Amino acid sequence: MTTTHASPEPDSDDLTALGYRPQLKRSLGSFASFAAGFSFVSILTTIFQLFGLGFSFGGPAFFWTWPVVYAGQLLVALCFAELAARYPISGAIYQWSRRLGGEVLGWFGGWFMILAQIVTASAAAIALQVVLPTVWSGFQIIGDDPSLTSSSGAANAVLLGSVLLVLTTGINCIGVHWMGRINAIGVTCEIVGVIAVIGALAAHARRGPQVVLDTGQAGAAATGSLGYLSAFIVSGLMAAYVMVGFGSAGELAEETRNPRRVAPRTIRLALTVSAVGGGLMLLTALMAAPSLGDELATGGLPYVLSSVLGSFWGKVLLVDVAVAIFVCTLAIQTACSRLIFSMARDRRLPFSTQLAYVSRTGTPMLPSIVIGLACIAVLGVNVGNPAIFATLASVCIVLIYLAYLSVTGPMLVARIHGTWPKKDDARDAEGREVFTLGRWGLAVNVGAVLFGAFMVINLAWPRPEIYDPAGTSTLLQWAGPLIVVAAVVGGALCFPRRRPHPVPVLVPGRTVPEGL
């Protein structure tokens, strides 16, 4: 039997109206909600890792993929914000897609997101190997070669990542209040680090901002049949990998005070702040780089920072990057645990009773433990198989975009069929009108679906330079579509057939509740 906890009356009424009784503690404010989305994106972590990927294909002009991807993801974020105001409930992607498109679509949306978040958390945790041994050689516990592609480096990466996952699992088990406080502190450190990086790079600029108009020799090497456009599209994968997870505020809606007001705002803010900060980091890095050749393509942002900051301040920044990796892993694990809790509460998963149990700390502990163990198991793939792990980390982003489409797609269908409310009369806990797209809803929704579909194709396209750069396996080259097919088949096998939903919903355009 689950333990219930009191929450503010208006927020409790919101949840009750959606068919659920309050179980989680409402202890998160606006900044903690924003921090959940910002730390999931974690520009300091991801740009540190992926700058070289974008530059190696598109040259300096790859910078323009960043605002393009932001514009597309903003359309998605606006759709999510409207839904967060209407359905402030844990398991956002799953709950939104099932209420818009039915139980089958909702299941696959949640299933894709669970798989993607587990692999994403593993990829974030393994990034410690890139940072900590550089700060202090004592962090290289196994062997003496810190490279991720070496046997000792791969094994040490699994060890460091496992320790990190044990820590984040423990924090998640203690309760969302402590998670929120630790995450907020970490995000504050990350924002300070981003500002410091931008300032240091701008102060050491060797060229002007017009550098972003240069396609460069790096981009010319991968032009393909479409000229530079081919290289530009491939280089956009860097931005596509980074700008995901901004909807985490929706996952924590049941633990946020006045979520109808807070979650829509923090979803938009987390993406926009990440886009502005990340864009300035890219621009200033290109301006301050000692050269715009192969060194930058292979060394990426660490190469630029080491030449600008020197040894001491470079290590200080690496410590800040390690903090960003920590809170990024924590945020992803928290969001995934709430998604599993929400699906288990609806009896959609095996061992649902246990997974939906809320402990005395006011948090579902078992989902956090399961995710931690699953992430450690995924980390183990990196030992002796770094190419396969890198491929998994890339493909999981495709699943995130598919999960987003499971929301924006049926939302568009509802708008076209006229079943989406033209004027939302929902109110927040203070009685004020909540966020709505109004007359712009159809145009924004169409753009979100088109962008999402394009990114799924772009991410999953079997490019050997992305999925099999060593040219050793045709199977790896086709990993994108193959893993998507495997995820669909696995989801179909795991779908809870003949199990009635305890909280059936009326899907727009249908006359009976789904599942009845």
Side-chain angles (χ1 to χ4, degrees):
M1 184 175 180
T2 53
T3 303
T4 60
H5 300 277
S7 59
E9 189 65 28
D11 295 332
S12 298
D13 290 344
D14 275 348
L15 192 58
T16 302
L18 292 171
Y20 301 94
R21 61 189 180 91
Q23 295 175 258
L24 306 176
K25 289 184 177 180
R26 290 194 185 274
S27 57
L28 301 181
S30 296
F31 187 75
S33 178
F34 159 79
F38 182 83
S39 57
F40 195 127
V41 179
S42 192
I43 52 175
L44 195 57
T45 301
T46 47
I47 292 180
F48 188 86
Q49 290 177 284
L50 300 171
F51 181 96
L53 172 68
F55 179 82
S56 64
F57 288 105
F62 95 96
F63 167 84
W64 295 106
T65 64
W66 188 263
V68 169
V69 172
Y70 164 66
Q73 288 293 63
L74 180 61
L75 299 177
V76 178
L78 290 172
C79 292
F80 284 7
E82 190 170 35
L83 285 165
R86 292 174 57 82
Y87 305 114
I89 185 171
S90 294
I93 296 295
Y94 156 70
Q95 290 286 356
W96 297 340
S97 58
R98 68 175 282 258
R99 290 169 188 276
L100 292 167
E103 298 301 338
V104 174
L105 191 62
W107 159 261
F108 277 101
W111 171 255
F112 289 153
M113 205 65 183
I114 289 173
L115 295 178
Q117 287 176 335
I118 288 174
V119 179
T120 303
S122 303
I126 211 168
L128 279 182
Q129 179 64 24
V130 182
V131 176
L132 292 185
T134 305
V135 174
W136 178 48
S137 60
F139 284 115
Q140 186 63 36
I141 301 168
I142 301 175
D144 56 6
D145 187 350
S147 173
L148 273 172
T149 56
S150 68
S151 58
S152 61
N156 199 68
V158 173
L159 176 60
L160 294 179
S162 298
V163 171
L164 172 57
L165 287 163
V166 169
L167 290 175
T168 57
T169 300
I171 293 170
N172 269 312
C173 289
I174 292 173
V176 73
H177 176 68
W178 284 103
M179 185 284 301
R181 294 181 69 175
I182 293 171
N183 198 37
I185 293 171
V187 164
T188 301
C189 293
E190 182 173 1
I191 292 174
V192 171
V194 169
I195 294 173
V197 167
I198 294 170
L201 293 174
H204 292 80
R206 299 168 183 260
R207 56 192 67 85
Q210 68 273 12
V211 65
V212 299
L213 302 177
D214 179 12
T215 57
Q217 294 181 352
T223 53
S225 59
L226 296 178
Y228 181 72
L229 180 61
S230 296
F232 186 78
I233 291 173
V234 178
S235 68
L237 296 182
M238 178 266 187
Y241 288 161
V242 175
M243 280 189 267
V244 294
F246 47 83
S248 295
E251 299 289 354
L252 298 174
E254 290 183 37
E255 294 155 281
T256 303
R257 294 185 291 270
N258 195 4
R260 287 185 186 269
R261 171 70 48 184
V262 171
R265 182 174 60 227
T266 53
I267 287 172
R268 305 191 308 272
L269 188 62
L271 176 63
T272 299
V273 172
S274 298
V276 172
L280 290 174
M281 284 179 64
L282 295 177
L283 174 62
T284 53
L286 291 168
M287 292 169 60
S291 70
L292 298 176
D294 293 338
E295 298 90 347
L296 185 56
T298 56
L301 189 57
Y303 158 71
V304 182
L305 291 173
S306 63
S307 66
V308 169
L309 299 179
S311 176
F312 174 76
W313 289 110
K315 289 186 177 181
V316 170
L317 176 63
L318 286 176
V319 171
D320 199 34
V321 173
V323 172
I325 292 170
F326 177 85
V327 295
C328 177
T329 306
L330 177 63
I332 298 170
Q333 187 179 24
T334 303
C336 190
S337 68
R338 298 316 186 260
L339 174 56
I340 290 178
F341 163 76
S342 184
M343 295 181 71
R345 181 173 55 182
D346 287 350
R347 299 202 298 264
R348 301 292 92 185
L349 298 173
F351 306 103
S352 286
T353 301
Q354 293 79 13
L355 290 170
Y357 178 79
V358 178
S359 70
R360 292 182 180 274
T361 63
T363 187
M365 293 176 60
L366 187 57
S368 296
I369 295 171
V370 170
I371 294 165
L373 293 174
C375 288
I376 292 173
V378 173
L379 280 178
V381 175
N382 189 63
V383 179
N385 299 286
I388 295 177
F389 183 86
T391 298
L392 282 174
S394 299
V395 173
C396 77
I397 305 298
V398 184
L399 297 180
I400 291 181
Y401 279 86
L402 281 172
Y404 287 177
L405 273 175
S406 75
V407 174
T408 58
M411 188 180 189
L412 177 59
V413 172
R415 291 186 191 277
I416 292 174
H417 288 172
T419 54
W420 185 262
K422 290 183 172 57
K423 184 177 181 180
D424 193 349
D425 59 356
R427 296 289 188 273
D428 68 4
E430 299 172 0
R432 296 178 295 176
E433 291 186 358
V434 297
F435 177 80
T436 179
L437 290 172
R439 62 181 181 178
W440 295 100
L442 180 61
V444 169
N445 206 160
V446 168
V449 170
L450 291 176
F451 172 78
F454 172 77
M455 291 311 300
V456 166
I457 296 171
N458 190 30
L459 285 160
W461 198 264
R463 298 184 180 95
E465 59 267 34
I466 295 295
Y467 293 117
D468 184 29
T472 57
S473 172
T474 304
L475 192 63
L476 279 181
Q477 178 182 337
W478 288 87
L482 288 176
I483 290 181
V484 169
V485 170
V488 171
V489 173
L493 294 174
C494 296
F495 182 78
R497 296 174 180 81
R498 296 183 295 276
R499 190 182 303 172
H501 200 290
V503 189
V505 295
L506 185 64
V507 177
R510 301 186 187 179
T511 57
V512 297
E514 180 76 13
L516 292 185

